[in-house]
């Protein structure tokens, strides 16, 4: 068969295609996704898993009118290809190209900019209630994975939706995986449904029998009771029926005719409905199907054999992630109270190595950041020393637990805040640009950011020795090859890395490397500058700041974080409180806007945080621009 995909400009073009053509189209879409991710990197396994489901949804519904909300949104590639973005798809995740997540700016078929898990049922229910109020007849569909389904937010949405009576179809895309194996009791329940065949067949039979019977109310009620009793006795009940959803499935999410038939049947039913679909992550690309966790977020690779090209795995030796976990394992060997917690990110946070070493002291709680933080509080109260490995962007979800369960109780919980700063191709949903701002006003929190490996190790040791909550933030990058200094880490003390007279740079965390590089360039031009590693965003080293301001014509702060509420703000507050000359201080930070997908390097450059940008600013401040 000739290529069909070239003729698909919008979902309307799917009408009239027969089963063989839809299957062919699914193969072509998988090929395009695989080829594109091989070149650009991206979420491969999840996207390959939902191609057939996406085709079926776009065939049965009209999402130019109806609403489709993808949970997380990392699995929307086939949706993008079918909704007018096939032509530009090859530029996936590159500057100005198609984003890796839903984006309303790209297409009216994308309703929300998403990237965080668990929100789809709530936003879809909101849409459904709005349509109910307008009596528009538009339908609303949410697609959510079994991983995201266990998040508190998703369960809150289900709880409301089951009682709200709006026209909402939830598709449960069950592939038994989050990034790694889905964890928790709900996952166990879904697995039981997978391994107990016959539920759907039985239900269909009973439904049909009921529909055929002419009967009065009391007989109907009696038979419904019998049906419920039968289900209890023979097969596990779908837990969401108890929430008020009409549940269908599990069905094979790769069998397009079955999907079409089931969706057609369910489409007009109204009220809260749930279709349980079984899919396979990585479907159609053998390496991803065999090892989906490794291909969840893939780096560029060779399409023919799955050989990964880029050498920058987050947990490779010499990355901040790797060095932090290596030290944590070392410390945990000597202190049995140390436990580690992740919210469904054992690979990304590097904590998988901790899990292998201390399986009984490792807790993967699923995509439940709020629970992870509150759990850590309980563990700390109980005498353990919990360390939560978490991305800056996902810790946002647990703000209230940071305040209420941790800070307010003055508990010793350590947060390894990974991916702090600009993250590159994942774009605005994933940047870790706000953690200093949302932690800095919580009394008792110590916020540290290492400039080199020695500082990282010193901070982690100190965090576990001292009381109270700590956050240690670092980006997805390699540590500098050699340490910049060997001055021991002390709480609230900065470290001078080099001295000069024409200006001073107070750099937070990994920005120190760029500052030192800039200082080297500037020295050749006769502009000697002092460079200090601030080490802490809270507390600020006021003595160091005072001497930098007094001893230099200008002081420049650097941070891989948004300006408002960040490190520079903290420095300005400290300067104001202590009567230092505020006019001398300028802050370089990420501007308060949503930074689009690009390489991390380009994003840093745009914010003025590369060595070139820092040097240019120093020249301007020194009147040598
Ligand atoms: C709040 C939040 N925490 C963590 C993540 C990181 N993350 C992205 S996708 C994913 C797994 C999602 O699993 P599931 O919902 O089952 O979808 P699948 O990838 O299996 O299709 C995780 C943990 C996230 N996006 N949002």
């Amino acid at each position: 068969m000739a290529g069909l995909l070239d003729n698909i400009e919008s979902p309307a073009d799917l009408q009239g295609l027969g089963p063989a053509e839809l299957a062919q189209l699914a193969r072509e879409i998988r090929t395009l996704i695989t080829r594109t991710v091989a070149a650009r990197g991206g979420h491969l396994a999840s996207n390959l898993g939902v191609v057939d489901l996406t085709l079926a949804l776009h065939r049965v519904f009209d999402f130019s009118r109806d609403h489709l909300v993808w949970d997380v949104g990392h699995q929307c590639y086939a949706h993008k290809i079918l909704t007018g973005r096939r032509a530009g798809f090859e530029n996936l995740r590159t500057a100005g190209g198609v984003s890796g997540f839903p984006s309303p700016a790209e297409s009216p078929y994308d309703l929300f900019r998403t990237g965080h898990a668990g929100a789809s049922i709530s936003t879809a229910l909101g849409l459904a209630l709005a349509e109910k109020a307008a009596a528009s007849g538009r339908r609303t569909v949410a697609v959510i994975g079994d991983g995201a389904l266990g998040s508190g937010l998703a369960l809150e949405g289900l709880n409301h939706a089951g009682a709200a009576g709006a026209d909402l179809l939830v598709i449960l895309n069950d592939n038994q995986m989050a990034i790694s194996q889905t964890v928790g009791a709900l996952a166990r329940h879904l697995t039981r449904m997978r391994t107990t065949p016959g539920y759907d067949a039985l239900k269909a039979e009973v439904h049909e029998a009921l529909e055929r019977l002419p009967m009065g109310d009391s007989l109907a009620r009696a038979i419904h009771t019998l049906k419920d009793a039968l289900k209890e006795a023979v097969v596990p009940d779908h837990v969401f029926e108890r929430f008020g959803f009409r549940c269908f499935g599990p069905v094979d999410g790769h069998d397009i005719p079955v999907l079409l038939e089931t969706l057609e049947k369910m489409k007009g039913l109204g009220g809260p409905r749930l279709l349980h679909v079984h899919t396979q992550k990585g479907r159609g690309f053998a390496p991803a199907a065999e090892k989906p966790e490794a291909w969840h977020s893939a780096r560029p690779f060779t399409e023919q054999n799955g050989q990964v090209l880029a050498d920058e795995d987050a947990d490779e030796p010499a990355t901040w992630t790797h060095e932090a976990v290596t030290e944590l394992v070392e410390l945990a060997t000597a202190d049995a109270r140390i436990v580690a917690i992740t919210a469904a990110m054992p690979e990304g946070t590097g904590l998988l190595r901790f899990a292998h070493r201390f399986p009984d002291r490792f807790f993967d709680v699923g995509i439940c950041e709020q629970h992870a933080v509150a759990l850590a509080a309980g563990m700390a109260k109980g005498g353990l020393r919990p360390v939560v490995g978490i991305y800056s962007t996902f810790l946002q979800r647990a703000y209230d637990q940071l305040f209420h369960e941790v800070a307010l109780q003055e508990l010793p919980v350590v947060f390894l805040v990974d991916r702090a700063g600009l993250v590159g191709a994942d774009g605005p949903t994933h940047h870790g640009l706000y953690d200093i701002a949302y932690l800095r006003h919580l009394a008792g929190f110590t916020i540290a950011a290492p400039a080199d490996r020695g500082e990282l190790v010193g901070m982690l040791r100190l965090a576990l020795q001292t009381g109270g909550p700590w956050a240690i933030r670092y980006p997805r990058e390699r540590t500098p090859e050699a340490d910049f200094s060997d001055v021991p880490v002390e709480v609230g003390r900065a470290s001078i890395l080099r001295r000069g007279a024409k200006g001073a740079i107070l750099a937070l965390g990994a920005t120190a490397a760029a500052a030192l590089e800039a200082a080297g360039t500037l020295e050749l031009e006769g502009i000697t500058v002092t460079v200090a590693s601030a080490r802490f965003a809270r507390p600020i080293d006021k003595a160091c700041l005072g001497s930098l301001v007094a001893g230099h014509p200008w002081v420049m702060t650097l941070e891989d974080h948004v300006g408002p509420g960040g490190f520079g703000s903290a420095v300005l507050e400290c300067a104001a409180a202590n009567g230092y000359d505020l006019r001398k201080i300028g802050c370089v930070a990420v501007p308060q806007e949503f930074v689009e997908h690009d390489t991390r390097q380009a994003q840093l450059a745009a914010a003025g945080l590369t060595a070139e940008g820092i040097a240019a600013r120093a020249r301007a401040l020194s009147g040598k621009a």
Side-chain angles (χ1 to χ4, degrees):
M1 244 184 278
L4 290 172
L5 191 53
D6 290 345
N7 300 321
I8 306 293
E9 298 304 333
S10 84
D13 297 327
L14 297 177
Q15 301 305 328
L17 297 185
E21 288 165 312
L22 288 170
Q24 158 87 6
L25 203 51
R27 279 194 295 278
E28 291 180 29
I29 292 172
R30 284 195 165 91
T31 302
L32 177 58
I33 290 174
T34 308
R35 193 193 326 138
T36 306
V37 177
R40 304 293 184 201
H43 288 92
L44 187 63
S46 312
N47 278 294
L48 291 178
V50 297
V51 172
D52 313 291
L53 176 63
T54 308
L55 276 167
L57 282 168
H58 276 290
R59 169 68 176 263
V60 171
F61 291 87
D62 173 8
F63 293 117
S64 65
R65 248 182 73 72
D66 298 330
H67 303 305
L68 176 59
V69 183
W70 295 97
D71 201 87
V72 186
H74 64 310
Q75 74 294 57
C76 69
Y77 294 179
H79 163 82
K80 291 200 174 197
I81 290 167
L82 291 174
T83 53
R85 285 162 280 180
R86 172 178 46 79
F89 194 67
E90 70 215 27
N91 296 323
L92 180 72
R93 290 159 47 94
T94 58
V98 172
S99 114
F101 292 93
S103 167
E106 283 176 15
S107 165
Y109 284 96
D110 294 5
L111 295 170
F112 293 91
R113 288 199 99 166
T114 55
H116 287 199
S120 63
I121 295 170
S122 301
T123 53
L125 178 60
L127 286 164
L129 287 170
E131 297 306 343
K132 187 178 173 191
S136 68
R138 291 180 178 193
R139 306 186 193 289
T140 306
V141 180
V143 182
I144 186 164
D146 54 305
L149 189 74
S151 67
L153 182 52
L155 296 173
E156 289 173 32
L158 284 166
N159 185 42
H160 183 195
D167 181 348
L168 175 67
L169 170 59
V170 174
I171 310 275
L172 168 54
N173 172 33
D174 179 6
N175 51 29
Q176 295 188 295
M177 304 283 292
I179 292 175
S180 30
Q181 196 81 23
T182 311
V183 298
L186 192 54
R188 237 183 12 230
H189 168 74
L190 295 177
T191 304
R192 260 177 67 219
M193 306 217 56
R194 187 179 281 264
T195 52
T196 315
Y199 172 70
D200 219 30
L202 173 78
K203 205 166 73 163
E205 255 171 53
V206 176
H207 265 298
E208 268 170 36
L210 278 173
E211 271 163 26
R212 278 199 307 272
L213 277 177
M215 61 189 142
D217 246 17
S218 56
L219 178 59
R221 266 202 306 276
I223 293 180
H224 271 292
T225 310
L226 175 68
K227 182 191 84 170
D228 286 344
L230 254 177
K231 274 191 322 197
E232 289 286 334
V234 183
V235 288
D237 189 4
H238 213 300
V239 66
F240 299 112
E241 292 205 337
R242 304 293 170 102
F243 276 58
F245 277 77
R246 285 188 71 175
C247 296
F248 295 78
V251 297
D252 177 354
H254 302 299
D255 187 333
I256 296 177
V258 164
L259 287 172
L260 291 176
E261 192 191 326
T262 314
L263 288 170
E264 279 295 355
K265 236 187 333 198
M266 294 181 72
K267 183 175 163 181
L269 291 179
R273 291 98 79 206
L274 183 137
L275 175 60
H276 186 175
V277 172
H278 282 161
T279 60
Q280 180 197 22
K281 264 187 145 170
R283 178 94 170 182
F285 182 62
E290 275 157 30
K291 237 180 150 208
E293 62 278 21
W295 292 88
H296 179 84
S297 181
R299 293 170 283 155
F301 61 94
T302 306
E303 202 184 333
Q304 288 69 31
N305 58 10
Q307 186 86 39
V308 173
L309 301 176
D311 177 30
E312 47 156 67
D313 194 8
D315 191 25
E316 258 159 33
T319 58
W320 292 103
T321 304
H322 187 92
E323 299 301 332
V325 173
T326 301
E327 181 60 20
L328 181 63
V329 168
E330 183 88 19
L331 294 169
T333 307
D335 185 347
R337 298 172 307 159
I338 295 175
V339 294
I341 300 171
T342 178
M345 308 294 287
E347 288 91 359
T349 58
L351 287 175
L352 200 55
R353 277 186 295 129
F354 186 101
H356 288 149
R357 183 71 188 276
F358 306 107
D360 298 338
R361 289 156 63 186
F362 170 75
F363 301 87
D364 180 353
V365 300
I367 310 176
C368 301
E369 288 79 7
Q370 295 173 286
H371 169 60
V373 174
L375 179 78
M379 288 173 159
K381 193 80 172 176
L384 296 175
R385 297 307 308 263
V387 175
V388 182
I390 192 160
Y391 290 11
S392 167
T393 190
F394 302 138
L395 186 55
Q396 283 165 203
R397 180 155 293 177
Y399 172 72
D400 189 52
Q401 287 66 44
L402 288 166
F403 158 67
H404 198 275
E405 273 63 47
V406 176
L408 189 58
Q409 324 297 330
E410 302 177 18
L411 286 168
V413 179
V414 177
F415 295 91
L416 292 176
V417 183
D418 205 323
R419 308 307 198 268
L422 293 156
V423 297
D426 278 342
T429 54
H430 281 61
H431 294 308
L433 293 174
Y434 311 104
D435 53 275
I436 297 174
Y438 68 69
L439 292 172
R440 194 163 72 76
H441 51 243
L442 299 178
F445 241 101
T446 302
I447 308 170
D452 59 29
R453 194 189 158 278
E455 288 189 0
L456 172 66
V457 167
M459 286 166 183
L460 186 51
R461 288 185 189 165
L462 206 52
L464 285 161
Q465 277 161 19
T466 50
W470 272 66
I472 304 174
R473 75 185 305 266
Y474 44 82
R476 178 181 184 164
E477 242 177 33
R478 288 173 182 278
T479 58
E481 271 173 29
D483 286 350
F484 300 130
S485 88
D486 54 8
V487 178
V489 176
E490 284 175 61
V491 176
R493 293 290 301 275
S495 158
I496 304 289
L497 303 180
R498 106 180 243 158
R499 290 188 190 274
K502 303 281 172 58
I505 303 174
L506 184 54
L508 185 70
T511 63
L516 286 168
E517 196 186 326
T521 308
L522 291 165
E523 187 171 37
L524 301 175
E525 301 165 21
I527 306 171
T528 59
V529 296
T530 294
V531 176
S533 165
R535 292 187 169 178
F536 293 87
R538 185 176 194 278
I540 296 290
D541 186 341
K542 75 175 179 195
C544 175
L545 178 62
S547 72
L548 291 181
V549 174
H552 301 82
W554 52 261
V555 176
M556 185 196 308
T557 67
L558 298 180
E559 66 195 297
D560 188 0
H561 183 278
V562 77
F567 168 65
S569 295
V571 166
L572 290 170
E573 285 167 22
C574 175
N578 289 282
Y580 304 155
D581 188 350
L582 286 168
R583 291 165 306 175
K584 285 189 177 182
I585 304 172
C587 305
V588 181
V590 179
Q592 192 182 30
E593 60 195 39
F594 298 117
V595 179
E596 295 302 330
H597 54 279
D598 202 337
T599 61
R600 172 167 153 79
Q601 210 46 36
Q603 290 163 345
L604 285 169
L609 286 164
T610 54
E612 295 73 30
I614 296 163
R617 183 143 177 152
R619 280 183 208 109
L621 288 167
S622 304
K624 302 248 173 92

